[in-house]
């Protein structure tokens, strides 16, 4: 599965 | 909350050093991206606060002349290697990209889900849980539970937003707190000191 790359959560 | 409590009361009884060290590992392995990506000022500051506050708490419990005397060394005996190793293996095998930083990030997600366990076991062994320590665990669990709402909101409002590893781990993490929440609210309602049944 693909998912969003930007890790903007802590 | 925990740092203020320890600093103000000079007492850390009922606080699990193991959990704090697990959190330090979680934060350091997850926030490696401090070095190479910038999200927002808020994001950066919170990452530094998380790393700094857990490092500070560990320092107090391990090295502060007065505080270290109050540490429940004999009770805080959870074998953390049984958490770290499985999470590391899981991170190596179930990830999105086989790179060091991605594996460490994924490992930190898995480890965070179970990092509270030594603290919960210690609370169970503690007869009368200090109010501030109980509040700390409640706030920590509540903070993560709010992420569930955040994820639902983002899923509904941001096209293509999904992150299964984080969602599943976060749900497990919140589920681990359910039992604690139950007894926390019960003691609150009855105006009694928190104590978990053994």
């Amino acid at each position: 599965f693909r998912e969003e790359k930007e890790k903007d959560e802590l | 909350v925990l740092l203020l409590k320890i600093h103000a009361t000079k007492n850390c009884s009922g606080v699990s050093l193991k959990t704090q060290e697990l959190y330090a590992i979680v934060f350091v392995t997850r926030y490696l991206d401090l070095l190479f990506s910038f999200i927002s000022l808020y994001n950066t500051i919170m990452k530094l606060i998380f790393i700094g506050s857990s490092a500070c708490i560990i320092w107090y419990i391990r090295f502060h002349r007065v505080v270290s005397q109050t540490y429940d060394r004999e009770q805080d005996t959870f074998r953390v290697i049984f958490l770290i190793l499985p999470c590391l293996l899981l991170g190596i095998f179930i990830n999105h990209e086989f790179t060091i930083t991605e594996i460490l990030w994924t490992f930190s997600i898995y480890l965070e889900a179970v990092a509270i366990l030594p603290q919960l076991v210690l609370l169970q062994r503690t007869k009368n849980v200090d109010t501030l320590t109980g509040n700390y665990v409640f706030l920590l669990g509540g903070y993560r539970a709010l992420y569930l709402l955040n994820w639902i909101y983002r899923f509904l409002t941001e096209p293509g937003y999904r992150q299964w590893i984080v969602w599943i781990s976060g749900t497990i993490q919140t589920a681990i707190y359910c039992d604690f929440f139950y007894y926390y609210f019960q003691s609150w309602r009855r105006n009694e000191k928190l104590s978990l049944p053994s």
Side-chain angles (χ1 to χ4, degrees):
Chain A
F1 36 78
R2 264 176 53 78
E3 59 184 64
E4 200 177 339
K5 284 268 58 122
E6 194 183 20
K7 293 172 168 48
D8 57 354
E9 289 174 3
L10 296 160
Chain B
V1 167
L2 190 57
L3 190 53
L4 284 176
K5 170 215 147 71
I6 291 174
H7 177 76
T9 64
K10 295 288 181 290
N11 188 310
C12 71
S13 63
V15 177
S16 168
L17 176 62
K18 309 255 181 192
T19 280
Q20 294 307 314
E21 290 178 336
L22 288 178
Y23 269 113
I25 296 172
V26 165
F27 296 143
V28 169
T29 50
R30 185 170 316 161
Y31 301 153
L32 286 173
D33 66 352
L34 274 171
L35 304 171
F36 50 81
S37 84
F38 178 80
I39 310 281
S40 67
L41 188 60
Y42 168 80
N43 190 281
T44 300
I45 290 173
M46 288 311 289
K47 283 172 176 170
L48 293 173
I49 287 177
F50 284 151
I51 294 173
S53 59
S54 53
C56 231
I57 291 166
I58 291 168
W59 178 83
Y60 262 110
I61 300 176
R62 276 184 173 274
F63 304 115
H64 189 278
R65 187 176 53 85
V66 181
V67 175
S68 64
Q69 304 291 319
T70 65
Y71 171 48
D72 297 325
R73 206 174 305 275
E74 292 77 23
Q75 305 272 37
D76 189 23
T77 53
F78 199 101
R79 306 280 289 274
V80 289
I81 194 70
F82 291 123
L83 298 179
I84 296 174
L85 219 55
C87 289
L88 196 56
L89 290 174
L90 218 53
I92 290 170
F93 290 110
I94 305 177
N95 56 52
H96 286 287
E97 201 181 349
F98 200 77
T99 60
I100 290 290
T101 48
E102 187 67 17
I103 288 171
L104 286 178
W105 181 86
T106 315
F107 160 72
S108 83
I109 296 288
Y110 296 142
L111 188 61
E112 190 196 340
V114 293
I116 197 65
L117 285 173
Q119 179 63 74
L120 289 178
V121 169
L122 182 57
L123 280 194
Q124 203 170 43
R125 290 174 176 173
T126 309
K127 285 278 173 288
N128 275 314
V129 180
D130 189 282
T131 310
L132 281 167
T133 309
N135 289 345
Y136 161 71
V137 175
F138 171 73
L139 290 171
L140 196 61
Y143 165 70
R144 274 297 144 177
L146 289 174
Y147 262 94
L148 301 180
L149 300 179
N150 171 278
W151 294 331
I152 293 168
Y153 176 79
R154 289 188 69 172
F155 179 74
L156 296 174
T157 55
E158 291 177 28
Y161 170 79
R162 57 201 191 290
Q163 37 175 359
W164 286 103
I165 289 176
V166 171
W167 287 350
I168 293 169
S169 308
T171 305
I172 292 172
Q173 183 174 3
T174 305
I176 289 174
Y177 281 91
C178 283
D179 191 59
F180 170 83
F181 284 150
Y182 174 78
Y183 292 104
Y184 180 85
F185 281 121
Q186 217 165 45
S187 74
W188 188 45
R189 202 162 47 91
R190 295 177 180 166
N191 237 327
E192 287 170 357
K193 267 207 147 182
L194 176 66
S195 75
L196 303 180
S198 40

